[in-house]
Amino acid sequence: MSAEHTAPLEDKEAPGKPDSMPQLVLGFVFGIVFGFLLQKGGVAKYEVLMGQFLLTDFTVIKVMLSAIVVGMVGIFSMQALGLVKLHVKPTRYAANITGGLLFGIGLGLLGYCPGTGAAALGQGSYDAIPGILGLMAGSYIYAETSGYLGSTMQNIGNRGRIMLPDLIGTRVPVFLLIFVPLLVASLFILQRLTP
Amino acid sequence: MEYEGGAWSPYLVGALIGVLSMATFYFSDKPLGISTAYARLAGLVGNLVAKNHTGTLKFYQDKTPKIEWGVMLLFGVVLGAFIAAYTGGEIAAAWVPPLWQERFGPEAGLRAGVAFLGGVIMAYGARLAGGCTSGHGISGALQLSVSSWLAMLCFFAGAVVTAMLLFGL
């Protein structure tokens, strides 16, 4: 039941092959747009991000849910038309949960996430600089432990590229028909509660 | 104390990020994601310092340290945010955010130390979880990845607890 729509199997990159020049330029242009939007949305600001975690400012959730709803409808429509393929991330319960909690602790301390940290640097919040150096250091420390983790924690609860519809045994279109209105409704409720 | 929010509506900004996601899928066959770029940059530094050792690490055999699409995306984010802040008159030019200063004082060293530590823990967590607020929180979530919804819940849980501890209940 689940296997056929659990997305394309692998998106392994070819390690030796560099991206073409047009793709490098596109990446840069997409980045400019992304950074511009993050700053205009206010989510490059320490006060806005911490406000979300102190539950006094709900800008971050509003931005994220809106992006998810529009992207979800758009990308699944494009996939149905054969225009794009999905890149569903693999589920490894132990690593997702442990890594997620660590990420959250780091996020609470730094007050910027990897994307908004880069945007914070762009808007002149210089405390993003030690944050970015920390991000690089932490990534390298992870690489040091990646061999060990690959044979241990990454294998606990390794379920492959499963999607939410797989959990309840339904098909993607049916799931979207219920889930998208739910997400939209939660945005409306959010706006009523925290205008 | 009240702080300035965003210049644009969060719903508009979010919707446009959704459209941007569609564009990256269509034109580049890639989801928006930022954190791997920091790992690649760290690998490039690692190559300068200890090339043989960096080459032996399993992670860097999959994610070669190089300037690729994602690293260019990261560079673009810095420039794009600068353009937005500059044109909107919102350049902060500060080492300590106002909210932090109100609670912990104006000392930049303390803020920098905590920021660095936060970055280290966050990047380790991102690599272990398989993505960050962009890769999991937006791109993975909108594709209904189970891992992404789970990771996002954990991101928020960890951040809320940490923020409450830092700033008091």
Side-chain angles (χ1 to χ4, degrees):
Chain A
M1 164 95 227
S2 62
E4 75 239 71
H5 61 267
T6 41
L9 302 162
E10 276 302 310
D11 35 279
K12 270 227 149 164
E13 56 178 303
K17 191 171 148 280
D19 288 340
S20 66
M21 185 51 83
Q23 281 302 327
L24 290 178
V25 173
L26 263 182
F28 190 57
V29 171
F30 288 143
I32 291 174
V33 175
F34 193 29
F36 187 90
L37 290 172
L38 290 173
Q39 204 286 330
K40 284 295 183 200
V43 291
K45 292 178 181 166
Y46 179 82
E47 286 72 26
V48 171
L49 288 162
M50 292 308 283
Q52 178 63 72
F53 307 133
L54 295 168
L55 307 178
T56 55
D57 179 328
F58 285 79
T59 306
V60 174
I61 289 190
K62 289 173 185 169
V63 170
M64 289 184 72
L65 273 184
S66 307
I68 288 170
V69 168
V70 171
M72 191 178 281
V73 172
I75 283 169
F76 279 104
S77 304
M78 287 162 75
Q79 191 222 5
L81 296 170
L83 296 175
V84 298
K85 48 179 217 265
L86 297 184
H87 299 274
V88 176
K89 284 183 178 278
T91 293
R92 302 182 172 101
Y93 283 118
N96 294 143
I97 294 172
T98 316
L101 290 174
L102 280 174
F103 184 95
I105 294 169
L107 179 55
L109 290 173
L110 173 53
Y112 308 114
C113 61
T116 55
L121 172 62
Q123 81 182 358
S125 300
Y126 302 133
D127 53 326
I129 296 170
I132 285 169
L133 294 175
L135 281 165
M136 290 172 61
S139 304
Y140 199 87
I141 296 171
Y142 175 81
E144 290 282 353
T145 60
S146 57
Y148 174 74
L149 289 167
S151 56
T152 53
M153 189 186 288
Q154 296 282 13
N155 293 325
I156 304 172
N158 185 354
R159 297 284 187 279
R161 293 169 195 275
I162 52 170
M163 297 163 72
L164 294 178
D166 299 322
L167 291 183
I168 54 171
T170 182
R171 298 190 325 114
V172 171
V174 179
F175 185 85
L176 288 175
L177 230 45
I178 300 162
F179 197 52
V180 170
L182 266 180
L183 293 177
V184 173
S186 49
L187 273 172
F188 273 99
I189 295 170
L190 199 59
Q191 175 62 19
R192 284 294 291 275
L193 295 178
T194 64
Chain B
M1 191 168 163
E2 283 288 313
Y3 297 101
E4 287 276 322
W8 291 6
S9 149
Y11 307 107
L12 173 66
V13 166
L16 290 174
I17 292 174
V19 174
L20 177 66
S21 294
M22 293 166 65
T24 64
F25 268 80
Y26 184 74
F27 291 104
S28 297
D29 190 24
K30 284 189 171 72
L32 278 180
I34 293 287
S35 57
T36 306
Y38 291 106
R40 288 192 204 269
L41 289 176
L44 287 174
V45 176
N47 274 346
L48 287 179
V49 178
K51 186 159 178 60
N52 290 337
H53 174 69
T54 303
T56 63
L57 299 175
K58 178 174 177 290
F59 176 79
Y60 284 125
Q61 289 160 6
D62 297 333
K63 306 274 181 204
T64 331
K66 62 180 175 187
I67 306 285
E68 43 66 82
W69 187 89
V71 175
M72 294 305 290
L73 185 81
L74 174 62
F75 292 160
V77 169
V78 180
L79 178 60
F82 171 76
I83 295 170
Y86 186 77
T87 56
E90 289 196 302
I91 294 286
W95 286 92
V96 181
L99 176 66
W100 175 280
Q101 178 159 346
E102 195 187 323
R103 170 96 181 153
F104 298 104
E107 207 211 315
L110 178 66
R111 169 61 187 148
V114 172
F116 181 82
L117 178 68
V120 170
I121 298 172
M122 185 162 65
Y124 194 92
R127 292 283 55 76
L128 188 56
C132 63
T133 341
S134 322
H136 266 317
I138 295 174
S139 308
L142 69 82
Q143 295 179 87
L144 305 174
S145 298
V146 172
S147 54
S148 300
W149 285 89
L150 182 61
M152 191 162 47
L153 282 179
C154 294
F155 294 170
F156 267 91
V160 166
V161 170
T162 308
M164 294 285 184
L165 288 174
L166 274 182
F167 284 88
L169 285 165

